Amino acid sequence: MNKRILILLGFFMLLSCNYFKPAAKPAAIARVEDNYLYREDLKDLVPAGTSKEDSIVIVRNYIDRWASQKLLIHAAEVNLDKDSKASFDQLIKQYKTDLYTKAYIEEVVKRSVDTIVSETEIKSYYESTKENFRTNGTLVRLRYVNLKKDNPKFTAIKSKFLDYKKSDQKFWDTYALQFKSFVLNDSVWVDMSQIYSKLPFINPDNRDSYIVSGKTIEYPDSSDIYLVKISHVLDKNQISPYEYIKPTLIEVIINKRKLELIKKFEKEITDDAIKDQKYEIYK
């Protein structure tokens, strides 16, 4: 066999070896079995302005998570029995159907639902269903002022606070900047979590001694003093006040409209399919 033939044989052997090797994946940065992760998959992964060190950590963590998921799904496909996989495949198929239809219906409803609810409709719904809207905890109406003990106008502020009148608004506007915090509108119902936050000297252990309808409180601490007037207390499991529950009522009414629209839409799409002979039931 001459030298030229040997060279040709070697060339063809090299080609045949390369033929059976997996094709190189351009710009691949990781591989798990036959799955490749490419540089383009990492696009926009790292936020602008991230340091080089943090960028490396973010990218490495992403690659590790990607690899773990691929390895786990491969292990699951190999080790789960046939019936289990068939059951999961059916769940995946159903989930896709539910996800698509839900997104589509929500888009249709969003474009069609009337979100304007009149005061008359809200009050009417409240009167007919208020037994269903009971308080989960204590609700309170109160007013309070938190100010420095040494405030030179403390006596006047206390007097105006205890004998609060809306006509004194100019007075309160004048001194409001001197208060650390305050609430003068005692027509709004609040829950106990807000009271604990605004009046830290009140807590679950001593609340019963403070949260009493009509009670006036003057509580000094190291440098400040709290003036508090409890207007009204509504205990747990009472019918929720209209103004307190009003936002929930609006949401409930709109959700009812959405459900009615969905039922109407589903019926119309079915009726249209029957009319256009796209939907038939064979007897």
Side-chain angles (χ1 to χ4, degrees):
M1 188 179 297
N2 62 37
K3 188 175 181 180
R4 185 177 179 183
I5 293 174
L6 287 172
I7 292 171
L8 287 172
L9 283 173
F11 177 72
F12 283 118
M13 286 177 67
L14 181 63
L15 284 179
S16 63
C17 288
N18 287 336
Y19 178 80
F20 290 107
K21 287 182 180 178
K25 303 294 182 181
I29 58 173
R31 179 185 67 83
V32 172
E33 300 291 342
D34 295 329
N35 301 287
Y36 289 82
L37 184 68
Y38 301 99
R39 293 187 185 279
E40 63 184 26
D41 296 324
L42 305 181
K43 185 180 179 183
D44 300 326
L45 175 65
V46 179
T50 306
S51 68
K52 181 178 179 182
E53 293 77 10
D54 290 342
S55 298
I56 292 172
V57 171
I58 292 171
V59 171
R60 182 54 190 267
N61 287 341
Y62 181 87
I63 294 172
D64 286 343
R65 286 197 302 272
W66 173 84
S68 296
Q69 289 174 349
K70 295 300 181 184
L71 291 167
L72 285 170
I73 190 66
H74 177 73
E77 289 173 344
V78 170
N79 292 290
L80 287 175
D81 60 76
K82 184 177 179 181
D83 290 341
S84 294
K85 288 193 285 187
S87 176
F88 287 132
D89 287 342
Q90 183 59 39
L91 286 173
I92 293 168
K93 184 178 179 181
Q94 185 61 49
Y95 177 71
K96 179 181 178 180
T97 299
D98 293 343
L99 194 65
Y100 273 60
T101 54
K102 182 175 182 291
Y104 176 56
I105 288 174
E106 284 181 351
E107 187 62 31
V108 171
V109 169
K110 185 170 68 174
R111 293 198 303 263
S112 307
V113 69
D114 180 8
T115 56
I116 298 174
V117 186
S118 68
E119 190 73 16
T120 301
E121 185 175 2
I122 302 169
K123 286 183 177 178
S124 175
Y125 187 77
Y126 174 74
E127 290 299 327
S128 63
T129 62
K130 59 185 177 183
E131 287 291 340
N132 299 327
F133 295 98
R134 292 185 170 269
T135 55
N136 294 322
T138 301
L139 297 179
V140 183
R141 281 169 35 194
L142 80 165
R143 63 180 184 269
Y144 83 91
V145 173
N146 178 14
L147 68 162
K148 290 289 185 181
K149 281 181 178 178
D150 57 2
N151 190 298
K153 292 293 184 180
F154 176 75
T155 302
I157 291 170
K158 179 180 177 180
S159 176
K160 290 287 188 183
F161 179 82
L162 295 177
D163 187 26
Y164 181 79
K165 298 183 180 69
K166 289 185 178 180
S167 58
D168 291 332
Q169 187 60 47
K170 186 176 180 180
F171 173 88
W172 293 112
D173 289 342
T174 301
Y175 293 101
L177 292 176
Q178 300 178 19
F179 305 151
K180 296 188 72 173
S181 64
F182 68 96
V183 168
L184 296 174
N185 182 5
D186 59 3
S187 65
V188 178
W189 292 95
V190 297
D191 59 35
M192 289 304 303
S193 65
Q194 296 181 65
I195 292 176
Y196 296 147
S197 173
K198 298 296 184 181
L199 306 175
F201 64 91
I202 300 178
N203 57 61
D205 294 329
N206 65 20
R207 54 168 279 181
D208 290 342
S209 62
Y210 287 113
I211 306 303
V212 179
S213 293
K215 188 177 182 66
T216 300
I217 305 166
E218 183 174 333
Y219 183 90
D221 62 15
S222 57
S223 61
D224 303 331
I225 191 163
Y226 290 87
L227 298 174
V228 184
K229 178 67 177 182
I230 308 293
S231 300
H232 197 79
V233 178
L234 195 63
D235 293 325
K236 182 179 179 180
N237 202 35
Q238 302 300 305
I239 293 175
S240 296
Y242 173 74
E243 289 299 333
Y244 182 78
I245 204 69
K246 183 177 176 180
T248 301
L249 296 172
I250 294 172
E251 186 176 342
V252 170
I253 292 170
I254 292 175
N255 283 337
K256 283 173 61 69
R257 291 177 181 177
K258 288 180 179 179
L259 289 174
E260 290 169 1
L261 271 174
I262 290 171
K263 288 180 181 178
K264 181 182 177 183
F265 176 68
E266 289 176 343
K267 185 177 185 306
E268 287 177 349
I269 200 171
T270 303
D271 290 345
D272 288 345
I274 293 172
K275 181 180 177 181
D276 297 337
Q277 297 184 342
K278 294 178 180 179
Y279 168 41
E280 297 178 83
I281 297 177
Y282 301 110
K283 297 181 181 179

